[in-house]
Amino acid sequence: MIVHTGGTATSASNGGIVRILGVDPGLRVTGFGVIDQCGQKLAYVGSGCIRSNEKESLPQRLGTIYAGLRELAEKYRPQQAAVEIVFVNVNSQSTLLLGQARGAGIAALVASGIEVAEYTALQVKQAVVGNGHADKTQVQHMVRRLLSLPGDPSPDAADALACAIAHAHGGQGLGALATRGLRMHKGRLA
């Protein structure tokens, strides 16, 4: 099931605009975020999550992720996608399941004809917050600030939007620009 938290599905095919779909893969919840990039300007298009039913079999859950991303590709028509790279957990079974969810997502994007880039969580956080070890609330707050959102997006949507933002800015350096003159204090910009 796809849960949208806002935005529209207008086309990005007008001059110089690149539409980017960010994906934060997960077996239970896969976050997505869509932005338009025109030069250095970024505009929020939409975000939300794809939820799989924990009572279904693994193949059915992977099918939900695949179908959900294919549906989003059709609806938003992004030219590029950015997907977070899986980190290694202490629990190898969790890492394997997350890798399978990520694979289903990448397969859906490639099957939709979308160029896919991959970034580690450290690269994404460095690009958006300026600190590769930022916590989720810091990422949410910076995504809100960078995209001029009325409120913090959900953690999964924020991570996906952050992935798209990092891709839009080459995966590095944005955090330093975005926070120039600002400083972090207890997880918030001061």
Side-chain angles (χ1 to χ4, degrees):
M1 167 181 30
I2 298 177
V3 179
H4 293 271
T5 56
T8 61
T10 59
S11 176
S13 59
N14 23 353
I17 297 175
V18 177
R19 179 154 292 171
I20 303 167
L21 169 62
V23 179
D24 178 36
L27 186 57
R28 192 173 53 80
V29 179
T30 293
F32 71 88
V34 184
I35 62 171
D36 282 344
Q37 178 187 20
C38 185
Q40 292 298 311
K41 293 188 180 206
L42 302 177
Y44 174 81
V45 177
S47 63
C49 58
I50 300 167
R51 295 185 187 277
S52 69
N53 185 340
E54 294 181 50
K55 294 179 182 177
E56 292 181 334
S57 70
L58 177 61
Q60 289 173 314
R61 294 174 77 185
L62 295 174
T64 298
I65 294 166
Y66 182 92
L69 284 169
R70 288 294 304 252
E71 182 181 323
L72 291 170
E74 179 66 29
K75 179 177 182 174
Y76 289 105
R77 301 205 179 276
Q79 290 91 4
Q80 300 173 8
V83 179
E84 193 170 300
I85 294 174
V86 175
F87 63 92
V88 177
N89 275 319
V90 174
N91 181 336
S92 60
Q93 182 64 21
S94 294
T95 302
L96 178 62
L97 292 172
L98 183 55
Q100 290 176 322
R102 186 173 173 278
I106 290 172
L109 297 169
V110 171
S112 297
I114 302 169
E115 178 184 322
V116 178
E118 302 173 275
Y119 299 94
T120 65
L122 188 113
Q123 288 172 314
V124 171
K125 291 175 182 180
Q126 180 66 40
V128 174
V129 180
N131 174 3
H133 300 289
D135 63 33
K136 284 198 176 282
T137 58
Q138 291 171 311
V139 172
Q140 285 176 284
H141 189 72
M142 281 306 296
V143 165
R144 174 185 179 182
R145 186 175 194 88
L146 292 169
L147 297 176
S148 301
L149 300 176
D152 287 349
S154 72
D156 295 302
D159 287 349
L161 286 164
C163 204
I165 292 167
H167 180 69
H169 290 277
Q172 56 186 320
L174 179 61
L177 294 174
T179 58
R180 184 170 292 139
L182 304 171
R183 60 191 175 110
M184 295 301 284
H185 178 71
K186 295 185 179 177
R188 297 270 185 213
L189 285 175

